[in-house]
Amino acid sequence: MELKTRLIVWGMAAALCLSGASLFAQDDNGGNPGGPGDGGPGGPGGLGGGPDPAQFQQRIMSQIRQSLNVTNDVEWSVIQPMVQKVMDARRDADMGIRGPGGPGGRGGFDPPPSAEQQTLQKALDAKAPTEQIKDALAKFRAARKDKQGRLEAAQASLESVLTTKQEAQAVLMGLLQ
């Protein structure tokens, strides 16, 4: 896989993991800590601030647009919301996937737990009766299946408007299966 495609895939993965969450990375402002816009002590974010998630999302979308070779603004106005819907649905469908150590085990980049996941975890933590755990597990699985169905529908919708070359690129980027 060419380097540019790898970077895009990693960028998309980061966007999927981070969308809706605060970003903690800081721009080094050319080696001048504390300068305006770097999120340092003198920056708009103060200590611990970071880049604007909306700007990060915009950069990801620009990379996707470039990779799909969409130069027409009208065409992009059709494709872009479908790409966003796929990315949102993928993030939602990834609920319950946790690294070692439980929630937050992969450095805190996991999506927030769903209500069904929280209920199941509470039942396990409370050593609830087997029937209560079975009920919570069934609800969790049903919610996960529903979210997977929404992802597949969003992917089918996106696929229906792409050319064959765009579809192939979208598969390489992880947008489509």
Side-chain angles (χ1 to χ4, degrees):
M1 188 183 309
E2 107 182 21
L3 178 61
K4 182 178 174 183
T5 303
R6 285 184 194 170
L7 291 173
I8 291 168
V9 170
W10 281 106
M12 286 187 54
L16 291 171
C17 291
L18 297 174
S19 59
S22 297
L23 301 177
F24 297 105
Q26 293 184 0
D27 181 0
D28 74 351
N29 195 32
N32 299 318
D38 77 343
L47 288 174
D52 180 10
Q55 289 177 347
F56 181 76
Q57 183 73 9
Q58 179 61 39
R59 283 193 303 252
I60 295 298
M61 284 297 176
S62 293
Q63 290 174 343
I64 292 170
R65 180 179 179 169
Q66 183 179 8
S67 294
L68 295 178
N69 197 28
V70 178
T71 57
N72 181 316
D73 289 339
V74 174
E75 181 183 9
W76 183 242
S77 72
V78 171
I79 294 173
Q80 189 273 336
M82 293 178 176
V83 168
Q84 186 64 54
K85 194 170 187 175
V86 167
M87 291 173 66
D88 292 344
R90 181 174 304 283
R91 182 191 65 242
D92 292 344
D94 285 343
M95 68 177 228
I97 307 301
R98 298 286 182 229
R106 294 186 313 216
F109 291 120
D110 294 316
S114 68
E116 297 84 7
Q117 182 179 358
Q118 290 176 357
T119 300
L120 178 57
Q121 187 63 57
K122 285 178 185 177
L124 290 171
D125 292 344
K127 298 182 182 0
T130 301
E131 285 306 311
Q132 186 179 347
I133 293 172
K134 282 183 179 181
D135 182 55
L137 181 57
K139 289 178 181 175
F140 175 77
R141 285 180 170 155
R144 187 169 56 183
K145 186 176 181 179
D146 179 58
K147 290 178 184 201
Q148 184 63 35
R150 285 190 226 152
L151 172 60
E152 290 169 5
Q155 288 174 323
S157 179
L158 174 61
E159 187 176 336
S160 73
V161 299
L162 298 178
T163 66
T164 302
K165 287 182 181 181
Q166 290 170 333
E167 179 183 348
Q169 187 63 44
V171 168
L172 289 175
M173 290 187 299
L175 284 171
L176 300 176
Q177 298 291 324

Short mmCIF file of all heavy atoms in Angstrom, two decimals, residues 6-50:
data_model
loop_
_atom_site.label_atom_id
_atom_site.label_comp_id
_atom_site.label_asym_id
_atom_site.label_seq_id
_atom_site.Cartn_x
_atom_site.Cartn_y
_atom_site.Cartn_z
N ARG A 6 -1.66 4.84 3.20
CA ARG A 6 -1.50 4.44 4.60
C ARG A 6 -1.79 5.60 5.54
O ARG A 6 -2.45 5.43 6.56
CB ARG A 6 -0.09 3.92 4.85
CG ARG A 6 0.17 2.57 4.29
CD ARG A 6 1.53 2.09 4.67
NE ARG A 6 1.87 0.94 3.85
CZ ARG A 6 3.06 0.41 3.79
NH1 ARG A 6 4.04 0.91 4.50
NH2 ARG A 6 3.28 -0.63 3.03
N LEU A 7 -1.26 6.77 5.20
CA LEU A 7 -1.49 7.94 6.04
C LEU A 7 -2.97 8.28 6.11
O LEU A 7 -3.49 8.63 7.17
CB LEU A 7 -0.70 9.14 5.52
CG LEU A 7 0.82 9.05 5.68
CD1 LEU A 7 1.51 10.21 4.98
CD2 LEU A 7 1.21 8.99 7.14
N ILE A 8 -3.65 8.16 5.00
CA ILE A 8 -5.07 8.45 4.98
C ILE A 8 -5.83 7.45 5.83
O ILE A 8 -6.71 7.81 6.62
CB ILE A 8 -5.60 8.48 3.53
CG1 ILE A 8 -5.02 9.70 2.81
CG2 ILE A 8 -7.12 8.51 3.50
CD1 ILE A 8 -5.23 9.69 1.32
N VAL A 9 -5.48 6.17 5.70
CA VAL A 9 -6.14 5.14 6.50
C VAL A 9 -5.92 5.40 7.98
O VAL A 9 -6.85 5.35 8.78
CB VAL A 9 -5.65 3.73 6.10
CG1 VAL A 9 -6.13 2.69 7.08
CG2 VAL A 9 -6.11 3.40 4.69
N TRP A 10 -4.69 5.73 8.36
CA TRP A 10 -4.41 6.01 9.77
C TRP A 10 -5.13 7.27 10.21
O TRP A 10 -5.63 7.33 11.34
CB TRP A 10 -2.90 6.14 10.01
CG TRP A 10 -2.24 4.81 10.09
CD1 TRP A 10 -1.46 4.21 9.16
CD2 TRP A 10 -2.35 3.86 11.16
NE1 TRP A 10 -1.08 2.97 9.57
CE2 TRP A 10 -1.61 2.73 10.81
CE3 TRP A 10 -3.00 3.87 12.38
CZ2 TRP A 10 -1.49 1.62 11.63
CZ3 TRP A 10 -2.89 2.77 13.20
CH2 TRP A 10 -2.14 1.66 12.81
N GLY A 11 -5.19 8.27 9.34
CA GLY A 11 -5.92 9.49 9.68
C GLY A 11 -7.39 9.22 9.91
O GLY A 11 -8.00 9.75 10.84
N MET A 12 -7.97 8.38 9.04
CA MET A 12 -9.38 8.04 9.20
C MET A 12 -9.59 7.26 10.49
O MET A 12 -10.58 7.48 11.20
CB MET A 12 -9.88 7.23 8.01
CG MET A 12 -10.07 8.08 6.78
SD MET A 12 -10.83 7.16 5.47
CE MET A 12 -12.29 6.56 6.28
N ALA A 13 -8.69 6.35 10.78
CA ALA A 13 -8.82 5.57 12.02
C ALA A 13 -8.77 6.50 13.22
O ALA A 13 -9.57 6.36 14.16
CB ALA A 13 -7.71 4.52 12.10
N ALA A 14 -7.86 7.46 13.17
CA ALA A 14 -7.78 8.43 14.27
C ALA A 14 -9.06 9.25 14.36
O ALA A 14 -9.58 9.49 15.44
CB ALA A 14 -6.57 9.35 14.07
N ALA A 15 -9.58 9.66 13.21
CA ALA A 15 -10.82 10.45 13.21
C ALA A 15 -11.97 9.65 13.78
O ALA A 15 -12.79 10.17 14.54
CB ALA A 15 -11.15 10.92 11.80
N LEU A 16 -12.04 8.38 13.43
CA LEU A 16 -13.11 7.54 13.95
C LEU A 16 -12.99 7.38 15.46
O LEU A 16 -14.00 7.36 16.17
CB LEU A 16 -13.10 6.17 13.27
CG LEU A 16 -13.48 6.18 11.80
CD1 LEU A 16 -13.23 4.82 11.18
CD2 LEU A 16 -14.93 6.57 11.63
N CYS A 17 -11.78 7.24 15.92
CA CYS A 17 -11.58 7.07 17.36
C CYS A 17 -11.80 8.36 18.12
O CYS A 17 -12.26 8.35 19.25
CB CYS A 17 -10.17 6.57 17.64
SG CYS A 17 -9.88 4.88 17.09
N LEU A 18 -11.46 9.48 17.50
CA LEU A 18 -11.47 10.74 18.22
C LEU A 18 -12.69 11.62 17.96
O LEU A 18 -12.89 12.58 18.67
CB LEU A 18 -10.22 11.55 17.88
CG LEU A 18 -8.90 10.92 18.28
CD1 LEU A 18 -7.74 11.75 17.76
CD2 LEU A 18 -8.81 10.79 19.78
N SER A 19 -13.48 11.30 16.94
CA SER A 19 -14.60 12.19 16.64
C SER A 19 -15.52 12.25 17.84
O SER A 19 -15.85 11.27 18.46
CB SER A 19 -15.34 11.74 15.39
OG SER A 19 -15.83 10.45 15.54
N GLY A 20 -15.89 13.44 18.17
CA GLY A 20 -16.76 13.65 19.31
C GLY A 20 -16.01 13.76 20.63
O GLY A 20 -16.61 14.04 21.66
N ALA A 21 -14.72 13.55 20.61
CA ALA A 21 -13.94 13.63 21.85
C ALA A 21 -12.96 14.79 21.75
O ALA A 21 -12.65 15.26 20.67
CB ALA A 21 -13.17 12.32 22.07
N SER A 22 -12.47 15.24 22.86
CA SER A 22 -11.47 16.30 22.86
C SER A 22 -10.15 15.73 22.36
O SER A 22 -9.82 14.58 22.64
CB SER A 22 -11.26 16.85 24.28
OG SER A 22 -12.44 17.43 24.74
N LEU A 23 -9.44 16.54 21.66
CA LEU A 23 -8.11 16.13 21.19
C LEU A 23 -7.07 16.75 22.11
O LEU A 23 -7.18 17.90 22.51
CB LEU A 23 -7.89 16.61 19.75
CG LEU A 23 -8.89 16.08 18.74
CD1 LEU A 23 -8.62 16.69 17.38
CD2 LEU A 23 -8.80 14.58 18.67
N PHE A 24 -6.07 15.99 22.44
CA PHE A 24 -5.10 16.47 23.39
C PHE A 24 -3.75 16.79 22.76
O PHE A 24 -2.87 17.28 23.43
CB PHE A 24 -4.90 15.44 24.52
CG PHE A 24 -6.16 15.24 25.30
CD1 PHE A 24 -6.91 14.09 25.14
CD2 PHE A 24 -6.60 16.21 26.17
CE1 PHE A 24 -8.06 13.91 25.86
CE2 PHE A 24 -7.76 16.04 26.89
CZ PHE A 24 -8.49 14.89 26.73
N ALA A 25 -3.57 16.46 21.49
CA ALA A 25 -2.30 16.74 20.84
C ALA A 25 -2.12 18.24 20.72
O ALA A 25 -3.07 18.99 20.58
CB ALA A 25 -2.27 16.11 19.45
N GLN A 26 -0.86 18.68 20.78
CA GLN A 26 -0.60 20.10 20.67
C GLN A 26 0.29 20.37 19.48
O GLN A 26 1.20 19.63 19.20
CB GLN A 26 0.09 20.61 21.93
CG GLN A 26 -0.78 20.55 23.16
CD GLN A 26 -0.09 21.15 24.37
OE1 GLN A 26 1.04 21.60 24.28
NE2 GLN A 26 -0.77 21.16 25.49
N ASP A 27 0.02 21.47 18.81
CA ASP A 27 0.86 21.95 17.73
C ASP A 27 2.07 22.61 18.38
O ASP A 27 1.92 23.39 19.32
CB ASP A 27 0.07 22.97 16.91
CG ASP A 27 0.84 23.53 15.74
OD1 ASP A 27 2.01 23.14 15.56
OD2 ASP A 27 0.27 24.36 15.02
N ASP A 28 3.26 22.32 17.89
CA ASP A 28 4.43 22.87 18.56
C ASP A 28 4.74 24.29 18.12
O ASP A 28 5.69 24.89 18.60
CB ASP A 28 5.65 21.96 18.37
CG ASP A 28 6.23 22.03 16.97
OD1 ASP A 28 5.62 22.64 16.08
OD2 ASP A 28 7.31 21.47 16.78
N ASN A 29 3.94 24.86 17.22
CA ASN A 29 4.09 26.26 16.79
C ASN A 29 5.52 26.56 16.37
O ASN A 29 6.08 27.58 16.74
CB ASN A 29 3.64 27.20 17.92
CG ASN A 29 3.43 28.61 17.41
OD1 ASN A 29 3.04 28.80 16.26
ND2 ASN A 29 3.67 29.60 18.28
N GLY A 30 6.09 25.62 15.63
CA GLY A 30 7.45 25.83 15.14
C GLY A 30 8.49 25.84 16.23
O GLY A 30 9.52 26.47 16.11
N GLY A 31 8.23 25.16 17.32
CA GLY A 31 9.19 25.11 18.41
C GLY A 31 9.06 26.24 19.40
O GLY A 31 9.91 26.43 20.25
N ASN A 32 8.02 27.06 19.29
CA ASN A 32 7.82 28.17 20.20
C ASN A 32 6.67 27.88 21.14
O ASN A 32 5.54 28.26 20.90
CB ASN A 32 7.53 29.46 19.43
CG ASN A 32 8.66 29.86 18.53
OD1 ASN A 32 9.81 29.77 18.93
ND2 ASN A 32 8.35 30.29 17.33
N PRO A 33 6.92 27.18 22.24
CA PRO A 33 5.83 26.85 23.15
C PRO A 33 5.20 28.11 23.72
O PRO A 33 5.88 29.09 23.97
CB PRO A 33 6.50 26.02 24.25
CG PRO A 33 7.94 26.29 24.15
CD PRO A 33 8.22 26.73 22.74
N GLY A 34 3.89 28.04 23.90
CA GLY A 34 3.18 29.14 24.50
C GLY A 34 2.73 30.18 23.51
O GLY A 34 2.13 31.17 23.90
N GLY A 35 3.04 30.01 22.26
CA GLY A 35 2.62 30.97 21.25
C GLY A 35 1.14 30.85 20.97
O GLY A 35 0.50 29.85 21.29
N PRO A 36 0.57 31.88 20.36
CA PRO A 36 -0.85 31.84 20.05
C PRO A 36 -1.19 30.65 19.17
O PRO A 36 -0.47 30.36 18.22
CB PRO A 36 -1.11 33.16 19.32
CG PRO A 36 0.06 34.02 19.64
CD PRO A 36 1.20 33.11 19.95
N GLY A 37 -2.26 29.99 19.51
CA GLY A 37 -2.76 28.91 18.67
C GLY A 37 -2.16 27.55 18.94
O GLY A 37 -2.55 26.58 18.36
N ASP A 38 -1.17 27.48 19.85
CA ASP A 38 -0.56 26.17 20.05
C ASP A 38 -1.19 25.40 21.20
O ASP A 38 -0.84 24.27 21.44
CB ASP A 38 0.95 26.28 20.24
CG ASP A 38 1.37 26.76 21.63
OD1 ASP A 38 0.49 27.32 22.34
OD2 ASP A 38 2.54 26.59 21.99
N GLY A 39 -2.10 26.02 21.91
CA GLY A 39 -2.73 25.34 23.02
C GLY A 39 -1.87 25.36 24.27
O GLY A 39 -2.22 24.79 25.28
N GLY A 40 -0.71 26.03 24.19
CA GLY A 40 0.16 26.14 25.34
C GLY A 40 -0.36 27.21 26.27
O GLY A 40 -1.46 27.73 26.12
N PRO A 41 0.47 27.62 27.24
CA PRO A 41 0.02 28.58 28.23
C PRO A 41 -0.47 29.89 27.62
O PRO A 41 -1.40 30.48 28.12
CB PRO A 41 1.25 28.82 29.11
CG PRO A 41 2.10 27.61 28.91
CD PRO A 41 1.80 27.11 27.53
N GLY A 42 0.13 30.33 26.51
CA GLY A 42 -0.29 31.58 25.89
C GLY A 42 -1.33 31.39 24.81
O GLY A 42 -1.82 32.35 24.25
N GLY A 43 -1.67 30.15 24.52
CA GLY A 43 -2.61 29.88 23.45
C GLY A 43 -4.05 29.98 23.92
O GLY A 43 -4.33 30.09 25.11
N PRO A 44 -4.98 29.91 22.98
CA PRO A 44 -6.38 30.06 23.34
C PRO A 44 -6.91 28.94 24.21
O PRO A 44 -7.86 29.14 24.95
CB PRO A 44 -7.09 30.08 21.99
CG PRO A 44 -6.16 29.42 21.04
CD PRO A 44 -4.78 29.69 21.57
N GLY A 45 -6.30 27.78 24.16
CA GLY A 45 -6.78 26.67 24.95
C GLY A 45 -6.22 26.65 26.35
O GLY A 45 -6.62 25.87 27.19
N GLY A 46 -5.24 27.52 26.63
CA GLY A 46 -4.60 27.49 27.93
C GLY A 46 -3.83 26.19 28.09
O GLY A 46 -3.57 25.48 27.13
N LEU A 47 -3.48 25.86 29.29
CA LEU A 47 -2.77 24.61 29.55
C LEU A 47 -3.65 23.43 29.18
O LEU A 47 -4.83 23.39 29.53
CB LEU A 47 -2.37 24.51 31.01
CG LEU A 47 -1.24 25.43 31.43
CD1 LEU A 47 -1.04 25.35 32.94
CD2 LEU A 47 0.05 25.11 30.72
N GLY A 48 -3.09 22.48 28.46
CA GLY A 48 -3.83 21.28 28.10
C GLY A 48 -4.75 21.46 26.91
O GLY A 48 -5.43 20.54 26.52
N GLY A 49 -4.79 22.64 26.32
CA GLY A 49 -5.64 22.87 25.14
C GLY A 49 -5.07 22.14 23.95
O GLY A 49 -3.99 21.61 23.98
N GLY A 50 -5.82 22.10 22.87
CA GLY A 50 -5.35 21.41 21.69
C GLY A 50 -6.05 21.93 20.47
O GLY A 50 -6.80 22.90 20.53
#
